[in-house]
Amino acid sequence: MMQVIPIPAFTDNYIWLISNEERKHAAIVDPGDALPVIAELQRRDMQPIAILITHHHRDHVGGIGQLLQTWPGLPVYGPAHEAIQHMTQPLSEGQQVNLEPLGLSFTVMETSGHTAGHIVYYGEGSLFCGDTLFANGCGRVFDGTLHDLYHSLQRIAALPAETLVYCTHEYTVDNIGFAKWVEPDNPALDARLEECWELLDSGRPTVPFELGREFDTNPFLRTHIPEVIARAEEIAGRETHTPEDVFAVLRIWKDTEYD
């Protein structure tokens, strides 16, 4: 059975350790900083077996070099369409990552949008999605496109509702704030916010989260809902014609007015 350990980094990042019940080995997901990873592995007496990267941003790759100095020869998996220093295993859509010492396997999905070559890892009932989907939100577009990000989110939304989503930032409370701009009368948002504060006040992260819960609270996955459409049209000052159009209005609004 898979075990996942969160390692807080910087101000709001999570680096994930993927292990199993024996907890002797671990794969490292998106190590933007090496020092907390090294400390956690040594504290737990765990041996790293691989590094998994979702995209090229510094807060996801910045620790790779120091980790390789500490454990030379670790394979570094990452997106084939992005230039990432130290990457040894470039990955494209549909390829498998087999972590044999853990008895675990993941399928690669290409989810461009946040960045042009962003990938995610899906398997074991879980999704390690970098900065594509957040709890109650989604990533900002950098060198990808709004069109690509919308369709990437739709692909993720088609996964089983019980999928546990491991994103890499603690943005949930802030994202609920924006979601309430979009749907101020959505009672599911108030319930989700209360739950999040209970988790944070007890020192626990708000992630992972079940994918199916997003359909009640995440405006970027609710672009077909009449209330969300109406709000987008109010903001845009025009009619919207497709859910993708609604998505673009909301994402641009969040970028320019909320963030």
Short mmCIF file of all heavy atoms in Angstrom, two decimals, residues 46-87:
data_model
loop_
_atom_site.label_atom_id
_atom_site.label_comp_id
_atom_site.label_asym_id
_atom_site.label_seq_id
_atom_site.Cartn_x
_atom_site.Cartn_y
_atom_site.Cartn_z
N MET A 46 15.31 6.45 5.40
CA MET A 46 14.77 6.00 4.12
C MET A 46 15.76 6.29 3.01
O MET A 46 16.49 7.29 3.04
CB MET A 46 13.43 6.69 3.82
CG MET A 46 12.34 6.36 4.83
SD MET A 46 10.85 7.38 4.61
CE MET A 46 10.16 6.67 3.14
N GLN A 47 15.78 5.42 2.01
CA GLN A 47 16.67 5.55 0.88
C GLN A 47 15.88 6.04 -0.34
O GLN A 47 14.91 5.41 -0.74
CB GLN A 47 17.32 4.21 0.55
CG GLN A 47 18.29 4.23 -0.62
CD GLN A 47 19.57 4.98 -0.29
OE1 GLN A 47 19.95 5.09 0.87
NE2 GLN A 47 20.24 5.48 -1.31
N PRO A 48 16.28 7.15 -0.95
CA PRO A 48 15.58 7.60 -2.15
C PRO A 48 15.91 6.71 -3.35
O PRO A 48 17.04 6.23 -3.49
CB PRO A 48 16.10 9.02 -2.36
CG PRO A 48 17.47 9.01 -1.76
CD PRO A 48 17.38 8.07 -0.58
N ILE A 49 14.92 6.50 -4.21
CA ILE A 49 15.13 5.65 -5.39
C ILE A 49 14.89 6.40 -6.69
O ILE A 49 15.32 5.93 -7.75
CB ILE A 49 14.21 4.42 -5.35
CG1 ILE A 49 12.74 4.85 -5.33
CG2 ILE A 49 14.54 3.52 -4.17
CD1 ILE A 49 11.78 3.73 -5.68
N ALA A 50 14.24 7.57 -6.65
CA ALA A 50 13.95 8.31 -7.87
C ALA A 50 13.46 9.70 -7.52
O ALA A 50 12.97 9.95 -6.40
CB ALA A 50 12.90 7.59 -8.72
N ILE A 51 13.58 10.60 -8.49
CA ILE A 51 13.01 11.95 -8.39
C ILE A 51 12.02 12.09 -9.54
O ILE A 51 12.33 11.79 -10.69
CB ILE A 51 14.12 13.02 -8.49
CG1 ILE A 51 15.09 12.89 -7.31
CG2 ILE A 51 13.51 14.41 -8.54
CD1 ILE A 51 16.32 13.78 -7.43
N LEU A 52 10.82 12.57 -9.21
CA LEU A 52 9.76 12.77 -10.20
C LEU A 52 9.47 14.27 -10.29
O LEU A 52 9.13 14.90 -9.28
CB LEU A 52 8.48 12.03 -9.81
CG LEU A 52 8.36 10.53 -10.16
CD1 LEU A 52 9.50 9.72 -9.58
CD2 LEU A 52 7.02 9.99 -9.67
N ILE A 53 9.56 14.82 -11.48
CA ILE A 53 9.37 16.25 -11.71
C ILE A 53 8.15 16.46 -12.60
O ILE A 53 7.96 15.74 -13.59
CB ILE A 53 10.61 16.87 -12.38
CG1 ILE A 53 11.86 16.65 -11.51
CG2 ILE A 53 10.39 18.35 -12.66
CD1 ILE A 53 11.80 17.29 -10.15
N THR A 54 7.33 17.47 -12.26
CA THR A 54 6.17 17.77 -13.09
C THR A 54 6.42 18.90 -14.09
O THR A 54 5.85 18.89 -15.19
CB THR A 54 4.95 18.16 -12.22
OG1 THR A 54 5.27 19.33 -11.44
CG2 THR A 54 4.55 17.02 -11.30
N HIS A 55 7.26 19.89 -13.72
CA HIS A 55 7.54 20.98 -14.65
C HIS A 55 8.78 21.73 -14.18
O HIS A 55 9.33 21.46 -13.12
CB HIS A 55 6.32 21.91 -14.79
CG HIS A 55 5.95 22.64 -13.53
ND1 HIS A 55 5.39 22.02 -12.43
CD2 HIS A 55 6.03 23.97 -13.20
CE1 HIS A 55 5.14 22.90 -11.49
NE2 HIS A 55 5.52 24.09 -11.93
N HIS A 56 9.20 22.70 -14.99
CA HIS A 56 10.54 23.25 -14.87
C HIS A 56 10.69 24.39 -13.87
O HIS A 56 11.81 24.88 -13.67
CB HIS A 56 11.02 23.74 -16.24
CG HIS A 56 10.21 24.90 -16.78
ND1 HIS A 56 10.44 26.21 -16.40
CD2 HIS A 56 9.19 24.95 -17.67
CE1 HIS A 56 9.61 27.01 -17.04
NE2 HIS A 56 8.82 26.28 -17.82
N HIS A 57 9.65 24.84 -13.21
CA HIS A 57 9.78 26.01 -12.33
C HIS A 57 10.74 25.73 -11.17
O HIS A 57 10.80 24.61 -10.64
CB HIS A 57 8.42 26.44 -11.82
CG HIS A 57 7.62 27.15 -12.87
ND1 HIS A 57 6.26 27.38 -12.75
CD2 HIS A 57 7.99 27.71 -14.06
CE1 HIS A 57 5.83 28.03 -13.82
NE2 HIS A 57 6.85 28.23 -14.63
N ARG A 58 11.43 26.78 -10.77
CA ARG A 58 12.52 26.65 -9.80
C ARG A 58 12.07 26.03 -8.48
O ARG A 58 12.81 25.25 -7.87
CB ARG A 58 13.13 28.04 -9.54
CG ARG A 58 14.30 28.05 -8.56
CD ARG A 58 15.52 27.37 -9.15
NE ARG A 58 16.64 27.38 -8.19
CZ ARG A 58 17.79 26.77 -8.40
NH1 ARG A 58 17.99 26.11 -9.53
NH2 ARG A 58 18.75 26.81 -7.50
N ASP A 59 10.85 26.37 -8.03
CA ASP A 59 10.40 25.84 -6.75
C ASP A 59 10.01 24.36 -6.84
O ASP A 59 9.59 23.77 -5.84
CB ASP A 59 9.25 26.66 -6.19
CG ASP A 59 8.02 26.66 -7.06
OD1 ASP A 59 8.15 26.63 -8.30
OD2 ASP A 59 6.89 26.71 -6.52
N HIS A 60 10.20 23.76 -8.02
CA HIS A 60 9.95 22.33 -8.19
C HIS A 60 11.22 21.55 -8.55
O HIS A 60 11.24 20.33 -8.40
CB HIS A 60 8.89 22.10 -9.27
CG HIS A 60 7.54 22.63 -8.89
ND1 HIS A 60 6.49 21.81 -8.55
CD2 HIS A 60 7.08 23.89 -8.77
CE1 HIS A 60 5.44 22.54 -8.24
NE2 HIS A 60 5.78 23.82 -8.36
N VAL A 61 12.24 22.25 -9.01
CA VAL A 61 13.45 21.56 -9.47
C VAL A 61 14.72 22.02 -8.76
O VAL A 61 15.78 21.42 -8.94
CB VAL A 61 13.64 21.74 -11.00
CG1 VAL A 61 12.41 21.26 -11.76
CG2 VAL A 61 13.95 23.19 -11.37
N GLY A 62 14.63 23.07 -7.94
CA GLY A 62 15.83 23.70 -7.41
C GLY A 62 16.69 22.82 -6.53
O GLY A 62 17.88 23.10 -6.34
N GLY A 63 16.12 21.75 -5.97
CA GLY A 63 16.91 20.89 -5.08
C GLY A 63 17.52 19.68 -5.74
O GLY A 63 18.22 18.89 -5.07
N ILE A 64 17.29 19.49 -7.03
CA ILE A 64 17.74 18.26 -7.68
C ILE A 64 19.25 18.10 -7.58
O ILE A 64 19.76 17.03 -7.22
CB ILE A 64 17.31 18.22 -9.16
CG1 ILE A 64 15.79 18.22 -9.29
CG2 ILE A 64 17.89 16.98 -9.84
CD1 ILE A 64 15.31 18.32 -10.73
N GLY A 65 20.00 19.15 -7.90
CA GLY A 65 21.45 19.04 -7.91
C GLY A 65 22.02 18.59 -6.58
O GLY A 65 22.88 17.69 -6.53
N GLN A 66 21.58 19.19 -5.49
CA GLN A 66 22.10 18.83 -4.17
C GLN A 66 21.67 17.42 -3.78
O GLN A 66 22.43 16.69 -3.13
CB GLN A 66 21.65 19.84 -3.13
CG GLN A 66 22.34 19.67 -1.79
CD GLN A 66 22.05 20.81 -0.83
OE1 GLN A 66 21.43 21.80 -1.20
NE2 GLN A 66 22.52 20.68 0.40
N LEU A 67 20.48 17.01 -4.17
CA LEU A 67 20.07 15.63 -3.89
C LEU A 67 20.96 14.64 -4.62
O LEU A 67 21.31 13.58 -4.07
CB LEU A 67 18.60 15.43 -4.30
CG LEU A 67 17.57 16.12 -3.41
CD1 LEU A 67 16.18 16.05 -4.04
CD2 LEU A 67 17.54 15.50 -2.01
N LEU A 68 21.35 14.97 -5.85
CA LEU A 68 22.22 14.07 -6.61
C LEU A 68 23.64 14.05 -6.04
O LEU A 68 24.35 13.05 -6.18
CB LEU A 68 22.24 14.48 -8.08
CG LEU A 68 20.91 14.29 -8.83
CD1 LEU A 68 21.03 14.79 -10.25
CD2 LEU A 68 20.48 12.82 -8.83
N GLN A 69 24.05 15.15 -5.42
CA GLN A 69 25.35 15.13 -4.74
C GLN A 69 25.31 14.20 -3.53
O GLN A 69 26.30 13.54 -3.20
CB GLN A 69 25.72 16.55 -4.30
CG GLN A 69 26.06 17.49 -5.44
CD GLN A 69 26.35 18.90 -4.96
OE1 GLN A 69 26.37 19.16 -3.76
NE2 GLN A 69 26.57 19.81 -5.90
N THR A 70 24.16 14.17 -2.87
CA THR A 70 24.02 13.33 -1.68
C THR A 70 23.79 11.87 -2.05
O THR A 70 24.33 10.96 -1.41
CB THR A 70 22.84 13.84 -0.83
OG1 THR A 70 23.01 15.24 -0.58
CG2 THR A 70 22.78 13.10 0.51
N TRP A 71 23.01 11.64 -3.11
CA TRP A 71 22.72 10.29 -3.58
C TRP A 71 22.98 10.22 -5.09
O TRP A 71 22.04 10.31 -5.89
CB TRP A 71 21.27 9.90 -3.28
CG TRP A 71 20.98 9.75 -1.81
CD1 TRP A 71 21.33 8.70 -1.01
CD2 TRP A 71 20.26 10.66 -0.96
NE1 TRP A 71 20.89 8.91 0.28
CE2 TRP A 71 20.23 10.10 0.34
CE3 TRP A 71 19.64 11.90 -1.18
CZ2 TRP A 71 19.61 10.75 1.41
CZ3 TRP A 71 19.02 12.55 -0.12
CH2 TRP A 71 19.01 11.97 1.15
N PRO A 72 24.23 10.07 -5.48
CA PRO A 72 24.56 10.05 -6.91
C PRO A 72 23.85 8.90 -7.63
O PRO A 72 23.64 7.83 -7.08
CB PRO A 72 26.07 9.84 -6.92
CG PRO A 72 26.54 10.28 -5.57
CD PRO A 72 25.44 9.94 -4.63
N GLY A 73 23.47 9.18 -8.87
CA GLY A 73 22.90 8.13 -9.70
C GLY A 73 21.40 7.99 -9.62
O GLY A 73 20.83 7.11 -10.29
N LEU A 74 20.73 8.80 -8.81
CA LEU A 74 19.26 8.73 -8.76
C LEU A 74 18.68 9.06 -10.13
O LEU A 74 19.06 10.06 -10.74
CB LEU A 74 18.70 9.74 -7.76
CG LEU A 74 18.66 9.39 -6.28
CD1 LEU A 74 18.05 10.57 -5.51
CD2 LEU A 74 17.86 8.14 -6.03
N PRO A 75 17.76 8.24 -10.64
CA PRO A 75 17.10 8.62 -11.89
C PRO A 75 16.20 9.82 -11.66
O PRO A 75 15.52 9.92 -10.63
CB PRO A 75 16.30 7.37 -12.26
CG PRO A 75 16.08 6.65 -10.97
CD PRO A 75 17.29 6.94 -10.12
N VAL A 76 16.18 10.72 -12.61
CA VAL A 76 15.34 11.92 -12.53
C VAL A 76 14.36 11.90 -13.69
O VAL A 76 14.74 12.04 -14.86
CB VAL A 76 16.20 13.20 -12.58
CG1 VAL A 76 15.30 14.44 -12.52
CG2 VAL A 76 17.22 13.22 -11.45
N TYR A 77 13.10 11.67 -13.36
CA TYR A 77 12.03 11.63 -14.36
C TYR A 77 11.43 13.02 -14.50
O TYR A 77 11.28 13.75 -13.52
CB TYR A 77 10.93 10.66 -13.92
CG TYR A 77 11.36 9.21 -13.82
CD1 TYR A 77 11.95 8.72 -12.66
CD2 TYR A 77 11.16 8.34 -14.88
CE1 TYR A 77 12.33 7.39 -12.55
CE2 TYR A 77 11.54 7.00 -14.79
CZ TYR A 77 12.12 6.54 -13.63
OH TYR A 77 12.50 5.22 -13.53
N GLY A 78 11.06 13.37 -15.73
CA GLY A 78 10.45 14.68 -15.93
C GLY A 78 9.88 14.82 -17.32
O GLY A 78 9.95 13.90 -18.15
N PRO A 79 9.29 15.99 -17.62
CA PRO A 79 8.61 16.20 -18.89
C PRO A 79 9.59 16.27 -20.07
O PRO A 79 10.54 17.05 -20.04
CB PRO A 79 7.88 17.52 -18.70
CG PRO A 79 8.61 18.22 -17.61
CD PRO A 79 9.15 17.15 -16.71
N ALA A 80 9.31 15.48 -21.08
CA ALA A 80 10.20 15.41 -22.25
C ALA A 80 10.28 16.74 -22.99
O ALA A 80 11.28 17.02 -23.66
CB ALA A 80 9.73 14.31 -23.19
N HIS A 81 9.23 17.57 -22.88
CA HIS A 81 9.17 18.79 -23.67
C HIS A 81 9.60 20.02 -22.89
O HIS A 81 9.30 21.15 -23.29
CB HIS A 81 7.76 18.97 -24.23
CG HIS A 81 7.29 17.81 -25.04
ND1 HIS A 81 7.92 17.42 -26.21
CD2 HIS A 81 6.28 16.93 -24.85
CE1 HIS A 81 7.30 16.36 -26.70
NE2 HIS A 81 6.31 16.03 -25.89
N GLU A 82 10.31 19.81 -21.77
CA GLU A 82 10.86 20.94 -21.03
C GLU A 82 12.34 20.68 -20.75
O GLU A 82 12.76 19.52 -20.55
CB GLU A 82 10.10 21.16 -19.72
CG GLU A 82 8.66 21.58 -19.96
CD GLU A 82 7.97 22.13 -18.73
OE1 GLU A 82 8.56 22.12 -17.63
OE2 GLU A 82 6.83 22.58 -18.88
N ALA A 83 13.12 21.74 -20.72
CA ALA A 83 14.56 21.64 -20.46
C ALA A 83 14.78 21.71 -18.96
O ALA A 83 14.62 22.77 -18.35
CB ALA A 83 15.31 22.76 -21.17
N ILE A 84 15.13 20.58 -18.37
CA ILE A 84 15.35 20.49 -16.93
C ILE A 84 16.73 19.89 -16.68
O ILE A 84 17.01 18.76 -17.12
CB ILE A 84 14.25 19.65 -16.25
CG1 ILE A 84 12.89 20.35 -16.40
CG2 ILE A 84 14.58 19.41 -14.77
CD1 ILE A 84 11.72 19.55 -15.89
N GLN A 85 17.58 20.63 -16.01
CA GLN A 85 18.93 20.16 -15.73
C GLN A 85 18.88 18.89 -14.88
O GLN A 85 18.05 18.75 -13.99
CB GLN A 85 19.72 21.24 -15.00
CG GLN A 85 21.21 20.94 -14.88
CD GLN A 85 21.98 22.09 -14.24
OE1 GLN A 85 21.37 23.02 -13.70
NE2 GLN A 85 23.29 22.03 -14.30
N HIS A 86 19.73 17.94 -15.20
CA HIS A 86 19.90 16.67 -14.49
C HIS A 86 18.82 15.63 -14.86
O HIS A 86 18.90 14.50 -14.36
CB HIS A 86 19.89 16.84 -12.96
CG HIS A 86 20.86 17.86 -12.44
ND1 HIS A 86 22.22 17.72 -12.61
CD2 HIS A 86 20.67 19.00 -11.74
CE1 HIS A 86 22.83 18.75 -12.04
NE2 HIS A 86 21.91 19.55 -11.51
N MET A 87 17.86 15.96 -15.69
CA MET A 87 16.84 14.97 -16.05
C MET A 87 17.48 13.84 -16.85
O MET A 87 18.19 14.08 -17.82
CB MET A 87 15.71 15.62 -16.85
CG MET A 87 14.57 14.68 -17.22
SD MET A 87 13.10 15.55 -17.85
CE MET A 87 13.78 16.38 -19.30
#
